[in-house]
Amino acid sequence: MGPTATGKTDAAAQIYEQIDAEIISVDSSLVYSGMDIGTAKPDAEFLRCYPHHLVDVRHPNDTYSVAEFFNDCSALVHDITQRGKVPVLAGGTMFYFNALEQGLTNLPEADAELRLEISREADELGWPSLHERLAVLDPQSAERIDSMDAQRIQRALEIVLAGGVPVAEHNANRKLPPPNPLIKIALSFSDRSVLHERIARRFDIMLDAGLEKEVRDLLDSGVEVDAASMRMIGYRQMLEYIDHSIDIDRMREKGIVATRQLAKRQLTWLRNQQNLIWWVDHGLESKQFQALVGMIRHFV
């Protein structure tokens, strides 16, 4: 695990080569087929060499809830371990990791009509206004969700409006996490500027690789502008550019800033974790890497 652009995919591949493992993607963006450039999805050759579960499992118009991930990943972990292999979970979607470690509240299913209504209201009023509405309906959830975190604001409002009670009141029917122990390894850099440089460079690589064409092709194929997948970083900024709301320089700036903000939230979450092994300024040939692999072998 780790912030975006820290090299988690390459690290997982190296661990895969060292032990008898299977990789499970813990990334809410990689589930969408046809969304390759803006998600920094590994290419087909990489995935052939290092197969990933839970990649390309949803159409961009579909949703993929944390509950669906929890069920799918739990089943995969059980199946992989039953076959005597090690499940390597790699990604940066922290609420997925949280569900796997803490269990999952039995929340109302996603409601497409309610989701669309909330999206339209957000377009009209802005997400900070909907965050204020959430603060009235569910103060506890609003306190832990950033006022610009569109995806989490929307889901929290869906839960409250569909279930009629705050999110916390659903905790009574909690799904228990898989029994397998988690060895939590977090990638990071001691110098924050290194991460910022990697984020900017990766966004530029996406632009050069044809992010604009990818988004236009998705729209031409019938992917809806207000689909949850299109609110992902990179895609929503490119939609603004395509809509002539911003120019290309502003689009790039907004995409990089949004990615940095995501990385900051991911780091904050990681720093609040217990029993976390930090792999700082990681080198795949380092003694620290070999020690980590040795530790994984010891526990399995």
Side-chain angles (χ1 to χ4, degrees):
M1 59 180 69
T4 186
T6 49
K8 298 181 292 296
T9 299
D10 289 337
Q14 291 299 314
I15 293 173
Y16 177 93
E17 289 189 346
Q18 298 279 333
I19 61 177
D20 193 10
E22 293 187 28
I23 301 172
I24 302 174
S25 170
V26 187
D27 190 314
S28 60
S29 63
L30 298 190
V31 302
Y32 295 111
S33 59
M35 306 186 83
D36 304 331
I37 297 173
T39 62
K41 186 180 296 177
D43 62 27
E45 177 61 21
F46 188 95
L47 291 175
R48 186 188 66 78
C49 295
Y50 307 102
H52 282 50
H53 295 283
L54 302 185
V55 171
D56 292 336
V57 295
R58 286 294 184 277
H59 185 275
N61 277 338
D62 296 335
T63 59
Y64 189 66
S65 68
V66 64
E68 289 174 297
F69 169 81
F70 179 89
N71 292 334
D72 291 344
C73 189
S74 297
L76 283 167
V77 167
H78 175 76
D79 180 57
I80 292 167
T81 53
Q82 286 292 105
R83 288 187 279 107
K85 295 188 175 185
V86 180
V88 174
L89 281 61
T93 302
M94 301 310 177
F95 60 90
Y96 280 6
F97 279 117
N98 191 69
L100 289 174
E101 186 172 29
Q102 304 297 329
L104 189 67
T105 303
N106 190 17
L107 300 174
E109 292 293 327
D111 183 322
E113 291 186 8
L114 179 57
R115 179 178 290 262
L116 181 59
E117 180 183 335
I118 293 170
S119 294
R120 286 171 176 165
E121 190 172 347
D123 290 340
E124 181 180 348
L125 302 175
W127 286 107
S129 293
L130 266 69
H131 186 268
E132 292 176 4
R133 182 183 179 192
L134 178 63
V136 174
L137 297 171
D138 186 350
Q140 187 175 350
S141 291
E143 186 176 352
R144 60 182 172 78
I145 298 176
D146 185 86
S147 62
M148 290 301 294
D149 193 336
Q151 186 172 356
R152 295 182 70 198
I153 294 171
Q154 181 170 55
R155 182 57 181 146
L157 280 173
E158 286 179 17
I159 292 167
V160 174
L161 294 173
V165 295
V167 174
E169 293 191 25
H170 291 277
N171 285 334
N173 297 316
R174 197 171 190 82
K175 294 182 180 179
L176 295 177
N180 312 69
L182 285 177
I183 301 173
K184 298 186 293 184
I185 301 171
L187 277 60
S188 186
F189 298 99
S190 55
D191 185 349
R192 184 71 60 86
S193 67
V194 173
L195 180 57
H196 288 177
E197 289 170 7
R198 288 172 66 97
I199 287 171
R201 183 165 63 251
R202 191 174 72 170
F203 199 84
D204 286 337
I205 289 171
M206 291 176 182
L207 294 178
D208 292 340
L211 178 59
E212 179 182 353
K213 182 178 185 302
E214 179 172 86
V215 174
R216 290 185 183 277
D217 287 347
L218 288 165
L219 294 173
D220 290 343
S221 71
V223 176
E224 299 169 1
V225 173
D226 56 1
S229 61
M230 283 298 199
R231 290 199 300 275
M232 295 189 298
I233 294 172
Y235 292 93
R236 66 173 182 261
Q237 289 82 17
M238 184 57 74
L239 283 173
E240 288 186 82
Y241 170 67
I242 291 173
D243 191 42
H244 304 294
S245 299
I246 55 176
D247 63 24
I248 192 167
D249 291 332
R250 179 61 177 152
M251 177 272 294
R252 176 184 180 273
E253 178 188 3
K254 291 183 71 173
I256 291 172
V257 168
T259 309
R260 286 182 178 180
Q261 291 171 340
L262 170 62
K264 183 178 180 180
R265 291 194 299 271
Q266 290 168 320
L267 278 169
T268 299
W269 185 87
L270 287 166
R271 290 190 181 111
N272 290 326
Q273 293 301 295
Q274 295 180 340
N275 304 318
L276 190 68
I277 302 168
W278 284 97
W279 186 6
V280 180
D281 300 329
H282 43 282
L284 298 181
E285 304 302 325
S286 68
K287 291 182 179 179
Q288 185 185 12
F289 172 71
Q290 294 303 322
L292 289 172
V293 171
M295 181 180 61
I296 294 170
R297 287 199 183 105
H298 173 76
F299 276 100
V300 299

